[in-house]
Amino acid sequence: MSKSFLIDTTLCTACRGCQVACKQWHDLPAEETVNRGSYQNPEDLSFETYKLVRMKEEIVDGRLRWLFFPDQCRHCIEPPCRDAAGDPAAIFSDAASGAVLYTANTKRLDREEIIESCPYNIPRASSDGVLAKCDMCLDRVQNGLEPACVKVCPTGAMSFGERDEITAKAKTHLAGAKKKYPQAQLLDPDDVRVIYLTAYDPMLYHSNAVAAATSFDVTRQVALRRMVRPLADLISRLS
Amino acid sequence: MTNHWIDIKNSDCILIMGSNAAENHPISFKYVTEAQHKGATLISVDPRFTRTSAKADMYAPIRSGTDIAFLGGMIKYILDNKLYHEEYVAQYTNAPFIVNKKFKFKDGVFSGYDPKSRKYDKSAWAFDLDNNGVPKMDRSLKNSRSVFQQLKKHFKRYNTKTVSNITGTPEKDLKQIYKIYAATGKVGKAGTIMYAMGWTQHTTGTQNIRTMAIIQLLLGNMGVAGGGVNALRGESNVQGSTDHCLLWHIWPGYLKTPRASNVSLEAYNNKWTPQSKDPQSANWWQNYPKYSVSLLKSFFGDNAHAGNDFGYDWLPKVDDGKAYSWLDLFDAMYDGKIKGFFAWGQNPACSGANAAKVRKALMKLDWLVNTNIFDDETASFWRGPGVDPAKVKTEVFFLPAAVFVEKEGSITNSGRWMQWRYQGPKPMGNSLPDGEIIFELGEKLKTIYAQGGSFPEPIRNLKWDYTTDGTYDPHKVAKEINGYFLKDVTVKGKNYKKGTLVPSFAFLQTDGSTSSGNWLYCNSYTEKGNMAARRSQEDAPNNIGLYPNFSWCWPVNRRIIYNRASVDRKGQPWDKQHPVITWTGKKWSGDVPDGGWPPMLMADGKPNPKSRHAFIMRKHGHGQIFGPGRADGPFPEHYEPLECPVEKNLLNAQRMNPTAPVFGGEADQWATCDPRYPYVATTYRVVEHWQTGVMTRHQPYLLEMQPQVFVEMSEELAKLRGIKNGERVIVSSPRAQLEATAVVTRRFQPFKLGKTEVHQVGLPWHYGWVMPKSGKEDSANLLTPSTGDPNTRIPETKAFMVNVSKI
């Protein structure tokens, strides 16, 4: 049974415990930052930052809102990055969990193509061309633990579990949220394993909060790669 | 907290004011969120829109330092609209008490004020007593001299227009918040307040909380689930350290520090033991001598006996009328009157108000010992910005301390839960747990004083036996705090052997047959074991989140204090859904009741003479709407901060609190309504850092998120001052200048005080020059003034005046 996350932004306080827990579990270095006139720091995701709480101040219905969006890889059900790569030794989906995983072999891929293929602008490259992003804490998950970010969340904004449980939970949360926020919505719930719930128009939170309308459309090239994927997987395992 | 963290989930309306809980007490939002999920309303009142405000159902801005005006308006609203819980107010509070005719309020001062000493003669605030010495009462609340009618009269001036002109909160917001919060006065509803240093660190700090306590009493919110007055303590163990006498004026368990005029133990006990003539007042503090003698027995063991006043003469005494608080201590140090100083687990060079003065004061010392986990601005003050090390005579010692996970012991959280922690990893290098350092220090002092010295008796006679096999043993300290039977005794027909642990403070004695290092903690470590180490996750049958067998809570594991007020006079809960205690006809069920006495009324409605009034810790047994014990008045009154943007207090003729301490030395510069410092400022914390940042600034992940000291300001102010978002600016006060990064944000808005526009800025105080390594980030406390609350003398760091300029 595959896994999924629910990130209910209506419950997020931007304590950023998730951002720290992610770095700590993955032993990622801290970035040298400056205060750019915002609490959001680092400014963006990077090869060394897989999880970033984006923070925006917006006037909605005449009232100031401080919108928090804990951004991370969505672990797409049909990941365009995987299909664009066409190299299961570099990008593959873990069969059991559905986690989309990058290896050091991403170095040999066309970096720009992979990054552009992502509907959510997630992958980031190191100086030597290796790509990195959230790995669902698969080592934790395979040992019966929650991902580090979910574990530390104090308010229940983040949850993780079997996909059917999470999709059911997402619907319950949405119904609850709608009472307070009539515009509340789930973001691309059928396409991704990291389902966000926002109170308002997702574009207010982050320009890549939802996939562009054409993102999941299949190009001829990708269709071809999908067709040969089982074979490629097999070859990859043999080599 | 009168209640506890988990209990927040039971609330119908949560007011977060003087606190930014989402950022500074992030775990509390687990329970805030749970309450909201069940339909509770969350209100955030803050000078700026915070991460707490972002989650609130209702947000309103308030100019720093005007909380009494805001809350006073709510009192008036509750009274005008008769939204108070009438039976509760009439039966459980001192609203029906008759105030003596000597009590008056005129031109912003109460009767009894002496402008020369800036102090009150509180005898002018007494209650009228009947022939038996019991306060006269009018439970109908109609008597014009009753507290209730006096309260009405006092807050009559606090109309929403005046309040709005003071606070800058729009009138419509005031009215809406008053309406929502006052709705918790309905029987069965509960409102709670979560406050922190945003309320305490003012020249009116104590009265800010008093004002809210009055509101909670009027609405019947004290003692009930989801109610109470809840102080969110600033550190994990601030509650514990306060309980164990962190402050100069109290001894463990809130006993009083002896004054010079308390010449004997008898004089001391007589002075501080309240007497009540009301047979129905439990007046729990009547037990004071049992606790003071047991404390002396704990200090001095067998050396303390009736023949030598249990060693009372060995205790240090403070001069009557003199204060020894933080502000006073550093003032004396600045004047060269203090020669040696232990800065233990603290960093006053950054945490102290007017930190520039603190840093200069440290230079006057002969020696300084800093016990900490990292080097900090206090230990390194001699090489700080603008300091020539060659000119500093102070000898500095640094004792490396173990981190909290490296030592065993207890912490007591804001909810009064004493939680035992086990040792994880062993301390690194030659660092030691604080307990071990203190123990060794005591041993060394004993060796030295054995050879002589001035007044050696206190040290020589000190009982100092906290080791097992030669090693410091935190269990022995915890047992000492609980207390022992020191003789074989029979109490209530039951025998207790010498050397066994006392089961609860009800067993403590005045004759020296018991010891207890802190009566409030008596029951925490008994013959049944270490209660604080319990970890049962089972809730009590009333199912309101008490978890009575998880850790231990003072007093006697009572999770919600004043819980006798959570029931009607027949002992039935006001809130049937969330019963704290219930009278079954024979006994109380639920939480540990505030005393086991039966309810005020018997089943047939007749008064039960065996009962006691609900508020057992008060002399007269009633919640104090009229509080005649405070330094600055029995009712709260709005005064402006020492430094403020308005010439005139719109509510009375006093600009600032007439009893607040004001220091007048060369390092204590201040300026109010001064065009050089036109903007209100406040300090605060962010979730990413902790206190002065000693524990967090060395942590790269946290520094990554909040790398630099910043000053938040509105877009309007930034435009006015030509400041761009993200650029470095200078913030200046009459005391110092600080470089900071400008965060220009819509979360700050200019305040409209009548026709005047006032701007406010805010800065976190987590930074210091030692770390980050640039040395350019320093403490916002360099800017804050030397003044504070007249009761607690906590400094006024939450409202002062500054300027901001481009570099």
Side-chain angles (χ1 to χ4, degrees), chain B residues 645-690:
Chain B
V646 295
E647 302 273 0
K648 202 167 164 275
N649 179 347
L650 296 184
L651 279 162
N652 65 63
Q654 301 293 317
R655 188 187 66 84
M656 70 174 289
N657 187 336
T659 58
V662 178
F663 292 80
E666 55 178 359
D668 305 304
Q669 301 296 316
W670 59 276
T672 188
C673 297
D674 185 324
R676 291 174 300 165
Y677 306 106
Y679 311 123
V680 180
T682 191
T683 64
Y684 39 69
R685 303 203 230 163
V686 294
V687 66
E688 296 82 4
H689 285 290
W690 176 253

Side-chain angles (χ1 to χ4, degrees), chain A residues 183-199:
Chain A
Q183 306 162 54
Q185 53 190 284
L186 299 173
L187 310 188
D188 303 336
D190 300 330
D191 299 325
V192 296
R193 294 186 190 282
V194 180
I195 303 167
Y196 285 82
L197 193 168
T198 59

Side-chain angles (χ1 to χ4, degrees), chain A residues 9-17 19-20 23-42 48-49 55 57-59 63-68 152 154-155 176 180-181, chain B residues 22-23 26-27 29-31 33 36-37 40 48-51 53-59 684 686-688 700-710 712 725-726 741-749:
Chain A
T9 66
T10 68
L11 306 180
C12 175
T13 58
C15 75
R16 299 198 275 187
Q19 197 176 312
V20 172
K23 289 225 159 184
Q24 197 166 11
W25 182 257
H26 294 97
D27 208 10
L28 293 166
E31 296 182 38
E32 293 273 335
T33 58
V34 292
N35 187 317
R36 297 162 290 100
S38 165
Y39 282 26
Q40 184 183 312
N41 232 336
E48 291 160 346
T49 302
M55 305 167 88
E57 295 163 22
E58 296 288 342
I59 306 284
R63 273 179 65 184
L64 178 64
R65 306 285 177 177
W66 202 359
L67 305 176
F68 309 134
V152 299
T155 60
K180 208 177 262 190
Y181 312 103
Chain B
E23 301 195 43
I27 309 301
F29 259 64
K30 178 182 171 75
Y31 306 106
T33 304
Q36 281 184 291
H37 183 68
R48 90 201 140 119
F49 191 98
T50 66
R51 282 179 255 192
S53 318
K55 297 293 111 182
D57 300 293
M58 167 94 209
Y59 163 75
Y684 39 69
V686 294
V687 66
E688 296 82 4
Y701 294 152
L702 300 176
L703 213 50
E704 176 191 71
M705 293 191 292
Q706 290 287 11
Q708 291 173 294
V709 61
F710 58 86
E712 286 179 293
N725 190 26
T741 304
V743 172
V744 179
T745 172
R746 286 191 270 199
R747 294 181 294 99
F748 252 127
Q749 293 287 325

Side-chain angles (χ1 to χ4, degrees), chain B residues 259-390:
Chain B
R259 267 56 176 177
S261 61
N262 308 154
V263 294
S264 65
L265 178 60
E266 191 188 1
Y268 169 79
N269 280 335
N270 286 345
K271 169 72 184 171
W272 302 114
T273 307
Q275 308 286 338
S276 168
K277 300 281 172 57
D278 184 345
Q280 288 210 281
S281 176
N283 182 27
W284 194 266
W285 279 113
Q286 68 176 294
N287 297 304
Y288 194 100
K290 297 174 186 170
Y291 309 149
S292 60
V293 171
S294 294
L295 177 63
L296 287 165
K297 285 297 291 180
S298 169
F299 281 163
F300 301 117
D302 292 341
N303 296 324
H305 49 80
N308 66 3
D309 250 3
F310 297 102
Y312 175 79
D313 289 348
W314 300 328
L315 296 182
K317 313 291 185 299
V318 297
D319 286 343
D320 292 74
K322 202 172 166 202
Y324 301 78
S325 75
W326 182 278
L327 290 168
D328 305 287
L329 194 147
F330 283 99
D331 194 54
M333 194 187 292
Y334 186 85
D335 287 342
K337 292 174 190 160
I338 293 176
K339 298 296 177 196
F341 175 48
F342 270 91
W344 204 307
Q346 57 171 252
N347 183 16
C350 288
S351 65
N354 197 357
K357 178 182 176 183
V358 171
R359 292 175 187 188
K360 282 183 193 142
L362 297 174
M363 289 189 208
K364 309 279 178 70
L365 294 166
D366 290 344
W367 56 265
L368 161 68
V369 181
N370 188 228
T371 309
N372 221 318
I373 61 170
F374 288 115
D375 178 26
D376 63 14
E377 291 72 18
T378 301
S380 279
F381 81 92
W382 52 273
R383 59 182 186 94
V387 181
D388 177 1

